[in-house]
């Protein structure tokens, strides 16, 4: 059995402090130890001379008057109630009070969180409203709108894309059948990452080595005004370093060669666009006179209406219906006339 140290307690009736744990009744007000007291250690350690005579079991709590009584007392010293009618001892009572405190703390935190959430919600409301208004404004601006405009002018553009069959210079790892003026060169096609050798290298390695024990003293609350001195042997380690060698692989990139071909070959390639444009009502495509080495690959057309500083895209069918100088009512979206009214 370890050494026994006398603890202290404070009277929860008159506030007297540092009362010896050996005393069961407050010497100032005559009240017995109640359920709200807490044993503690203070000042120089007062060791019990004969620890074998100390009951190491915690005090029991009277369920009728909340008085703490020694473990070897069968009846409450304050009200005379039987111990058999009580359920909790000193530690069980402390655990119950701790649980109650935790529940109160959690309830307070929950209330604080709810209040902060409500406050944050109120503070974020103007920002959220601003975002909603901005989004609504963008949606409104992008929606088709009916608008009256004056047609100041009409313009158009038509284009024909032309390719030409021509000789081009190319290079490749494979050779086309119709290639000519071929030159072949051995060039690096890729690299192989291969192991070349191993190198012996050193490194410092740390190792925790057992170095004995340290004695640590803990004072165990017995729940009855006394503490038991308990020694623990804590293993102690020291860090030692040593040098070790290991084989580190070394890799090299080895080039892989292949034959690359440089050649000339005939291909159809984009050459030009034949564009016509105007501000009249008679759009047309350019008249083409193509040689045997030229071909048409596609046609495109675009039409616009100009009103003041604004230029609107429009389809050919709607463009035909509009006269320069006229006033029209059009449905417009993103700078394009979708329909006429």
């Amino acid at each position: 059995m370890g050494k026994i140290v006398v603890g202290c307690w404070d009277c929860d009736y008159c506030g007297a402090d540092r009362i010896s744990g050996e005393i069961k009744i407050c010497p100032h007000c005559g009240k017995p130890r109640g359920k709200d007291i807490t044993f503690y250690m203070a000042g120089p350690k007062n060791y019990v001379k004969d620890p074998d005579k100390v009951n190491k079991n915690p005090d029991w709590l009277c369920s009728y008057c909340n008085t703490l009584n020694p473990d070897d007392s069968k009846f409450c010293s304050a009200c005379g109630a039987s111990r058999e009618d009580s359920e909790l001892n000193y530690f069980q009572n402390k655990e119950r009070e701790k649980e109650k405190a935790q529940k109160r703390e959690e309830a307070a935190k929950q209330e604080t969180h709810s209040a902060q959430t409500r406050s944050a919600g109120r503070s974020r409301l103007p920002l959220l409203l601003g975002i909603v208004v901005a989004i609504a404004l963008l949606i409104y601006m992008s929606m088709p709108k009916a608008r009256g405009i004056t047609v100041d002018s009409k313009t158009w553009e038509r284009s024909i894309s032309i390719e030409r069959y021509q000789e081009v210079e190319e290079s490749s790892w494979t050779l086309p059948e119709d290639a000519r003026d071929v030159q072949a060169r051995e060039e690096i096609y890729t690299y192989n990452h291969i192991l070349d050798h191993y190198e012996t290298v050193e490194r410092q390695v740390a190792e925790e080595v057992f170095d004995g024990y340290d004695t640590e003293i803990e004072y165990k609350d017995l729940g009855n005004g006394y503490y038991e001195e308990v020694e623990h042997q804590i293993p102690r380690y020291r860090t030692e370093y040593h040098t070790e060698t290991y084989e580190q692989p070394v890799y090299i990139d080895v080039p892989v060669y292949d034959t690359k071909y440089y050649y000339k070959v005939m291909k159809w390639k984009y050459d030009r666009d034949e564009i016509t444009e105007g501000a009249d009502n008679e759009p047309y495509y350019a008249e083409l006179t193509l040689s045997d080495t030229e071909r048409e690959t596609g046609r495109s057309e675009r039409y616009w209406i100009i009103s003041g500083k604004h230029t609107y895209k429009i389809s050919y069918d709607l463009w035909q219906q509009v006269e320069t100088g006229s006033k029209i009512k059009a449905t417009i979206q993103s700078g394009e006339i979708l329909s006429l009214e």
Side-chain angles (χ1 to χ4, degrees):
M1 182 175 180
K3 296 179 181 180
I4 302 297
V5 179
V6 180
C8 300
W9 60 281
D10 299 338
C11 180
D12 53 357
Y13 292 101
C14 67
D17 61 355
R18 294 199 178 190
I19 303 171
S20 172
E22 295 176 312
I23 301 174
K24 315 299 181 185
I25 305 294
C26 176
H28 298 274
C29 68
K31 295 291 186 180
R33 297 196 291 221
K35 75 178 185 66
D36 293 326
I37 70 142
T38 299
F39 294 116
Y40 62 93
M41 294 178 60
K45 295 180 179 59
N46 179 18
Y47 289 96
V48 176
K49 294 182 179 179
D50 191 357
D52 293 331
K53 294 183 178 181
V54 175
N55 190 324
K56 296 177 63 177
N57 295 324
D59 288 352
W60 59 274
L61 181 68
C62 178
S63 298
Y64 294 94
C65 65
N66 290 325
T67 297
L68 285 171
N69 297 276
D71 178 66
D72 52 8
S73 296
K74 295 182 179 181
F75 298 95
C76 176
S77 61
C79 70
S82 173
R83 177 178 181 175
E84 295 179 356
D85 297 328
S86 298
E87 300 176 354
L88 304 179
N89 62 32
Y90 172 82
F91 294 115
Q92 291 167 336
N93 174 62
K94 290 299 180 185
E95 186 63 31
R96 184 174 65 177
E97 294 300 320
K98 180 180 178 182
E99 291 175 358
K100 290 180 180 179
Q102 287 177 342
K103 289 180 179 179
R104 290 194 296 270
E105 183 179 354
E106 289 174 1
K109 286 182 179 179
Q110 183 63 37
E111 178 59 30
T112 302
H113 176 72
S114 299
Q116 291 175 345
T117 301
R118 292 192 295 269
S119 176
R122 289 193 294 269
S123 65
R124 288 198 298 266
L125 185 58
L127 176 61
L128 293 175
L129 288 176
I131 294 174
V132 170
V133 170
I135 294 174
L137 182 60
L138 289 174
I139 294 174
Y140 173 77
M141 293 177 63
S142 63
M143 290 176 61
K145 297 179 183 64
R147 185 182 304 169
I149 62 174
T150 299
V151 181
D152 295 329
S153 61
K154 300 166 56 179
T155 59
W156 56 270
E157 178 188 282
R158 288 185 171 182
S159 176
I160 304 174
S161 184
I162 307 297
E163 285 185 346
R164 185 163 61 88
Y165 195 65
Q166 55 189 303
E167 184 178 72
V168 296
E169 294 184 354
E170 291 184 345
S171 62
S172 175
W173 299 102
T174 58
L175 188 65
E177 293 182 358
D178 56 347
R180 60 181 182 272
D181 296 340
V182 178
Q183 294 183 8
R185 303 176 190 172
E186 290 297 308
E187 297 186 7
I188 297 175
Y189 178 73
T190 187
Y191 289 90
N192 285 336
H193 193 62
I194 64 173
L195 177 65
D196 183 61
H197 64 281
Y198 288 90
E199 288 184 352
T200 301
V201 296
E202 295 182 348
R203 61 185 173 192
Q204 289 291 105
V205 180
E207 182 181 3
E208 296 298 309
V209 179
F210 177 70
D211 193 39
Y213 290 95
D214 291 325
T215 300
E216 182 179 276
I217 297 177
E218 176 187 23
Y219 293 90
K220 178 184 176 183
D221 186 358
L222 298 179
N224 57 9
Y226 297 95
Y227 286 80
E228 182 178 8
E229 189 174 87
V230 181
E231 290 187 359
H232 296 285
Q233 296 298 311
I234 308 300
R236 181 179 64 254
Y237 296 88
R238 69 176 185 275
T239 303
E240 291 186 353
Y241 296 90
H242 64 272
T243 302
E244 68 176 22
T245 61
Y246 68 99
E247 298 299 307
Q248 178 174 280
V250 178
Y251 293 87
I252 60 173
D253 290 327
V254 178
V256 177
Y257 289 86
D258 200 354
T259 302
K260 191 170 188 178
Y261 301 97
Y262 294 82
Y263 51 85
K264 295 177 181 179
V265 66
M266 298 298 293
K267 280 191 173 181
W268 288 103
K269 294 195 69 176
Y270 168 80
D271 183 64
R272 67 189 185 278
D273 287 323
E274 293 289 347
I275 299 174
T276 53
E277 55 188 4
D280 53 25
N281 291 321
E282 300 296 334
Y284 61 91
Y285 285 101
E287 294 185 4
L288 299 179
T289 302
L290 302 177
S291 67
D292 293 340
T293 60
E294 296 178 322
R295 68 181 181 185
E296 178 183 331
T297 59
R299 297 191 174 202
S300 62
E301 53 187 334
R302 296 188 294 174
Y303 301 90
W304 299 274
I305 285 178
I306 300 173
S307 177
K309 296 181 179 180
H310 300 284
T311 299
Y312 302 100
K313 294 186 292 183
I314 190 172
S315 68
Y316 176 67
D317 292 338
L318 296 178
W319 184 83
Q320 284 183 308
Q321 302 174 34
V322 176
E323 297 294 334
T324 301
S326 64
K327 293 184 178 181
I328 62 173
K329 191 172 184 181
T331 301
I332 301 173
Q333 182 180 22
S334 301
E336 182 176 0
I337 295 176
L338 303 179
S339 63
L340 301 174
E341 298 182 10

